[in-house]
Amino acid sequence: MAQKPSIPKGTRDFGQQEMAERNYIFDTIRSVFVTYGYRQIETPAMENLSTLLGKYGEEGDKLLFRILNSGDAFSGIDYEQFRLEGDSFNSKALSLKVSEKGLRYDLTVPFARYVVQHQNEISFPFKRFQIQPVWRADRPQKGRYREFYQCDVDVVGSDSLLNELELVQMVDRVFTLLGIRVAIKLNNRKVLTGLAEIAAVPDKVVDITVAIDKLDKIGLENVEAELREKGIPESGIAVVKEILGLEGSTLEKLSQMKGLFNGGSSSKVVSEAGLKGLEELEELFGLIDAAGVSQPVELDLSLARGLNYYTGAIFEVKALDWPIGSICGGGRYDNLTGIFGLPGLSGVGISFGADRIYDVLKGLDKFPARLGNSTRLLFAVMDADALRYALPVARQLRERGVSVEIYPEATKLKKQFDYAAKKNIPFISINGSEEIASGSVNIKNLETGSQQAFPTGDIDSILAFLG
Amino acid sequence: MAQKPSIPKGTRDFGQQEMAERNYIFDTIRSVFVTYGYRQIETPAMENLSTLLGKYGEEGDKLLFRILNSGDAFSGIDYEQFRLEGDSFNSKALSLKVSEKGLRYDLTVPFARYVVQHQNEISFPFKRFQIQPVWRADRPQKGRYREFYQCDVDVVGSDSLLNELELVQMVDRVFTLLGIRVAIKLNNRKVLTGLAEIAAVPDKVVDITVAIDKLDKIGLENVEAELREKGIPESGIAVVKEILGLEGSTLEKLSQMKGLFNGGSSSKVVSEAGLKGLEELEELFGLIDAAGVSQPVELDLSLARGLNYYTGAIFEVKALDWPIGSICGGGRYDNLTGIFGLPGLSGVGISFGADRIYDVLKGLDKFPARLGNSTRLLFAVMDADALRYALPVARQLRERGVSVEIYPEATKLKKQFDYAAKKNIPFISINGSEEIASGSVNIKNLETGSQQAFPTGDIDSILAFLG
């Protein structure tokens, strides 16, 4: 009895239609990246555990897929040393003994490792993108996989806000090309720091941002309650409310905030960090105006992603017409490569969520009707003569880039039509002794029913008919 | 002290230039596959070990990278049960206890698993290609990696020799497009069976083919010696020599072999298998003639790759102008999916060796001078005004598909020229107050030194100048 084949939980096969759709997303993203001078790199699936451990917090360490050392991994180990009690062992310590490598968990740490390892071959500012799968031993659930692609674009070695602008432009262009309406939301970590400073609770920046992140969902009153619960004094809450209550255009809001950060709030505290953040936002919005974008770009003070590592700009992109979380996000980090011994390199980058973008395109039915790569014309075959007759014509069409199939067996025409129908092949060519005698090919458009005969040599006319 | 970063032995980082070169190879191959109606799939990096074990022989099992079960992998195990002596343990048995998944070793077994698992969604004949990395715990050495890409194209569910023809045509077209002169070598497993049969040693087919595979290297006399050593009787050796001594064109050789396989050899044995193999080769060479190919296709009786699984056609491709082994190979297998419970599906496929093709293109200096994706134009920036001035022009050029960079800092021009030189950017645009006042952009071709000014609105002329 043969085994029934399956794949590991949380992993996926991508069939031909889904691959074509996914490639459409990746090709679109890639085509935009390269026009901005970003170029692709790839890093190995396996990294040394010493590269990965401790970079994603304790929870992240647990989610790493570890690879057993090859050869005799288990010998020479004193297992008793690792026994906790009964049959229970210290898996964490024991796994380090038998495993030195792990699968990459994201593209950011391998990128930092890459930059440090290859610093002498790279010219800075270094603009790279990377599209590769990552692996996480998360509990699989709807929309959460153990293997999924990340699609990251980053530049390191430049503080210029032009980089932030170009990321916004790339996001704008990608979603415009994909036909997805989005809102591009911007914030700045320094502004969040400033807000905590003028609220006179500089160590509560996380509590404050976590609370105001919920504003849309739970309303101002509940945000206030949460702040109170976190021990923010009433005076601090009043300052937060002052900021959240600002109205007007982005530039007007920025200008009012400048006043508040400059000692104009009820706490009278001046925040240098906050003022610097506002200056950066002002410059960035000015650059966005100068460059021109197609989709709305908004200041969003409640945007608080990656608070632990972002130090400047924070980005997030939401689809306007489909209910799903963020489909793209990122920010500026000031010391990415420090952990690997190369301090002082500032970087900024964003990551596109391919699976979610896929869901939005599916949900909105926005995939192009005719994705590349699918077969355009099928030569049906009634006998060996018809097969040989089709060969040179098929060859010429293929050399002109058309996807052509010849049905491999001289079988019933119905079966061949079924094959064309199942594969959505829009044109079929059936040639018998008459066509062969006259040197012509007969092509039928299966969608419209129109049919035409062409001399075998007239490839241009055939191409025009195939559209 | 920060750790010095490195990657696991036998793995590689691919930098931007190398990625562009590798993508050129993959894109070329892919562009040919799709014109023949082959479409891409992807399978997960991890497969269940039950899918992988026993498919690659005992040696292959040892070379699988195994993944530690996540969570508490090591508890609940009675280690004493696995102790051999002293600190030595039965790693094979123990690793099965703590590991249920492995990294894919090739693309063939996952493909077979895919076909069986998805048999009800697939329409046969099923034509697929797959380009993904595989992992093997081989000892790393020059040209042998622990992670490398395979690039496989296969069709299952059709016996027709049209499939073999199309594989030959695709090989021919790929290497013609890449500018690599090759010899495409064909053989047939049934002919090798026939040879052993008429040599009256039907169980010695492997010994015979291994010996004649060395003909080019060691000469006929040494091949004879090896056959003798393997216990082939003199009468059998005489038959092998008869076959190897055949002269003339491919069709002439096939015709003479037909006589020998039909009882005309000194053994008088008739080989039905051999005759069937010759018939297939004759038909295939006839189809190749009818379709037309650009590169030489040769019968090579010494071609014996994959003798354990191929059942019909055997393919191999050698570069004519660069000393390297086979750069592409494959064959027909009659029962690929039987191991997973779906017998009776015949398939045929080939695999392109991306790393070797890369080495040939490098060695022969055949990579195109201008690979896609590299930056065409750099806007140098002397102040904030020049930067903003460049933005709308850069945006329009990018939307027309040109790769454009704006230097992110207003720094010394020398530094910006150095950046252009290091990245091989052929055009630079420097705009000062004069250009801004007159609404023009000044572009210099760094290779020829020619320089021209364009109105900012005249994107078409700028595109023409950038070439």
Side-chain angles (χ1 to χ4, degrees), chain A residues 2-3 5-8 11-17 19-20 23 34-37 39-48 50-51 55 65-68 70 72-77 79 87-89 91 94-95 98 101 103 113-114 116-118 123-128 135 137 146-147 149 158-160 162 165-166 173 286-287 290-294 339-341 373 375 387-388 391-392 395 398-399 401-409 419 422-423, chain B residues 2-3 5-8 11-17 19-20 23 34-37 39-48 50-51 55 65-68 70 72-77 79 87-89 91 94-95 98 101 103 113-114 116-118 123-128 135 137 146-147 149 158-160 162 165-166 173 286-287 290-294 339-341 373 375 387-388 391-392 395 398-399 401-409 419 422-423:
Chain A
Q3 59 197 120
S6 65
I7 51 177
T11 69
R12 291 169 286 176
D13 284 325
F14 295 116
Q16 297 186 319
Q17 181 60 23
M19 271 304 289
N23 281 340
V34 299
T35 61
Y36 283 79
R39 298 184 73 196
Q40 193 169 8
I41 69 163
E42 283 190 1
T43 61
M46 302 178 203
E47 294 275 351
N48 291 320
S50 55
T51 299
K55 309 305 189 299
F65 277 111
R66 290 151 193 250
I67 295 171
L68 266 184
S70 40
D72 201 3
F74 290 96
S75 285
I77 293 174
Y79 291 88
D87 271 359
S88 170
F89 280 78
S91 278
L94 201 43
S95 72
V98 299
K101 295 182 285 291
L103 294 179
R113 193 266 309 145
Y114 178 94
V116 177
Q117 192 174 330
H118 300 276
S123 37
F124 293 98
F126 182 54
K127 299 162 95 170
R128 87 86 173 78
W135 295 270
R146 292 184 145 190
E147 173 180 66
Y149 272 77
S158 165
D159 291 329
S160 167
L162 175 68
L165 166 68
E166 291 194 347
R173 183 73 182 152
L287 287 171
V293 288
S294 310
I339 38 170
F340 296 116
N373 304 358
T375 303
L387 190 152
R388 282 177 186 237
L391 289 173
R395 181 185 175 181
R398 286 159 170 165
E399 290 185 0
V402 184
S403 178
V404 175
E405 290 188 59
I406 301 173
Y407 198 82
E409 342 262 346
Y419 181 80
K422 269 193 198 153
K423 293 191 73 170
Chain B
Q3 60 197 118
S6 65
I7 50 177
T11 69
R12 291 169 286 176
D13 285 323
F14 296 116
Q16 298 186 319
Q17 180 61 24
M19 270 305 289
N23 281 340
V34 298
T35 62
Y36 282 79
R39 299 184 73 196
Q40 192 168 9
I41 68 163
E42 283 190 2
T43 61
M46 304 177 201
E47 294 275 353
N48 291 320
S50 55
T51 299
K55 309 304 189 300
F65 277 112
R66 290 151 195 249
I67 295 170
L68 266 184
S70 39
D72 200 3
F74 290 96
S75 285
I77 293 173
Y79 291 89
D87 272 357
S88 170
F89 279 78
S91 278
L94 202 41
S95 71
V98 298
K101 295 182 286 291
L103 293 180
R113 192 266 310 145
Y114 178 93
V116 176
Q117 192 175 330
H118 301 276
S123 37
F124 294 98
F126 181 56
K127 299 162 94 170
R128 87 86 172 78
W135 295 271
R146 292 184 146 191
E147 172 181 66
Y149 272 77
S158 164
D159 291 328
S160 167
L162 175 67
L165 165 67
E166 292 194 346
R173 182 72 181 155
L287 287 171
V293 288
S294 311
I339 38 170
F340 296 116
N373 303 358
T375 304
L387 190 153
R388 282 177 186 236
L391 289 174
R395 181 183 176 185
R398 286 160 170 163
E399 290 185 359
V402 184
S403 177
V404 175
E405 291 187 58
I406 301 173
Y407 198 83
E409 341 261 346
Y419 180 81
K422 270 194 197 152
K423 292 191 75 171

Side-chain angles (χ1 to χ4, degrees), chain A residues 63 69 107 113 122 126 157-158 161 171 188 197 212 230 237 250-251 253 255 296 306 317 326 348 357 444:
Chain A
L63 299 184
N69 295 338
L107 302 180
R113 193 266 309 145
I122 288 172
F126 182 54
S158 165
L161 290 170
V171 165
N188 190 297
E197 286 180 5
I212 65 179
K230 293 286 180 187
I237 294 176
T250 297
L251 289 182
K253 278 188 202 167
S255 152
V317 181
S326 143
V348 58
I357 294 171
K444 182 172 185 171

Side-chain angles (χ1 to χ4, degrees), chain A residues 136-175:
Chain A
R136 296 182 184 180
D138 251 323
R139 191 175 301 275
Q141 57 187 69
K142 192 177 177 314
R144 185 186 289 170
Y145 304 101
R146 292 184 145 190
E147 173 180 66
F148 57 96
Y149 272 77
Q150 287 194 336
C151 175
D152 281 18
V153 57
D154 294 81
V155 50
V156 290
S158 165
D159 291 329
S160 167
L161 290 170
L162 175 68
N163 300 302
E164 274 84 343
L165 166 68
E166 291 194 347
L167 293 174
V168 168
Q169 288 187 285
M170 290 194 285
V171 165
D172 175 52
R173 183 73 182 152
V174 164
F175 290 110

